Amino acid sequence: MRILKFKSDIYLSKIITISYQLFPEQYIVVTYKQLEAFHWICELGGFQRAADRLHTSQAAISKRITELEAAFDASLFDRSHRDARVTPKAQEIRPLVEEMLRQRAKFEETLSHPEVLVCTVRIGVTELTALTWLPVWVGLIRRRYPLVNIEPDVDSSVSLADKLARNKVDVIVLPDALDLPGCIKTPLAEVENAWFCKPGLISSRRVVSLAELSGFQFLTQGTLSGAGLIIGRWLNNNGIRAVQDVTSNSLTALVGLTISGLGVAPMPLHCVRGLIGSKLLSVVRTDPPIPAVPYIAASHADNNSRLLEDIVGLARQCCDYRKVFRSDPG
């Protein structure tokens, strides 16, 4: 019978089942520290980077990998290059090691009280969330889980979806504009949008048709933005194409371009008003009005845990796109 024993850890039936796929028919002693070292070298591409991530020395990491290679009687990393490169054997076992580490994390979560749970959670958000309620969310997480390390990542919707697919982040908050196969989507809030322009460019006293609006240059967030995708599809469905578009992946840059009088821009109403007040930009009322953008939280279904469920629950509790630079739950 093939057996895998983890020092100082409790046997878990699922982990033992997975371990049968990893090791030949022999009794092998392996520690989670060795598997963590293997994971972070694969993830970061170097022994020193893994040592920095695990707050230890490169010598300690090298020792763990040497012990793991002895257990396999095979080389796991090609050390002849500047970066550590995985061997075919390492490629073969990597998905199984990742699964074992996930199962261990879930097991520890089940037994741990929130105040003593120690782990890292990587949360990805778009710029709008970062400008509004992200600080409140992080504060609530830290209040409930004081020993959990939170690593925020602010990026475009398309990049965040890719990072989630590659397990570079654990949970993301973004507009519901992309197909996310294998993920759990949790609705959070809808963001009210409006057209903005420099005061005097278009009268704010009347309602403007989309056909008339299309005579101006559109300033948009482009196809890397979930909000940009949703609004772009809405314009196409209404048969509207601007004379010329200027795109920017940065919402704050888009605000600056609009203030300069370069064109008209669809942007989140309350956030933009909170950033600049009411004198630098004017709201353009249109018929039909611009749609609201729904935001969601997403995480992998096969990587879901009680901790991530709770973190998403805290996001639902505090998400508010109407106020900028919030730092408290009020």
Side-chain angles (χ1 to χ4, degrees), residues 58 62 69 141 148 164-165 179 228 233 247 261 267 284 290 294 302:
Q58 183 174 345
S62 296
E69 288 176 327
I141 297 170
V148 171
L164 183 64
D179 184 26
R233 292 165 186 164
T247 61
M267 294 184 290
V284 181
I290 194 168
D302 60 1

Side-chain angles (χ1 to χ4, degrees), residues 33-47 50 61-70 72 74-91 93-94 97-98:
K33 286 186 176 181
Q34 293 166 358
L35 298 183
E36 286 176 334
F38 173 85
H39 163 76
W40 285 113
I41 294 170
C42 291
E43 191 78 6
L44 301 176
F47 281 59
I61 294 295
S62 296
K63 181 175 183 292
R64 295 175 194 178
I65 296 303
T66 298
E67 293 168 347
L68 198 57
E69 288 176 327
F72 281 102
S75 176
L76 298 177
F77 297 99
D78 182 353
R79 297 167 174 81
S80 63
H81 302 275
R82 183 173 181 177
D83 293 335
R85 300 186 181 181
V86 296
T87 64
K89 185 66 175 179
Q91 291 279 23
I93 70 169
R94 187 177 178 183
V97 170
E98 302 290 344

Side-chain angles (χ1 to χ4, degrees), residues 18 21 34 36 41 45 56 58 61 75 113 121 134 148 166 175 178 181 200 229 247 261 268 279 306:
I18 296 170
Q21 305 172 51
Q34 293 166 358
E36 286 176 334
I41 294 170
T56 188
Q58 183 174 345
I61 294 295
S75 176
H113 294 290
V121 176
L134 175 63
V148 171
R166 294 185 293 116
L178 303 171
L229 288 170
T247 61
K279 294 182 179 180
R306 181 179 300 177

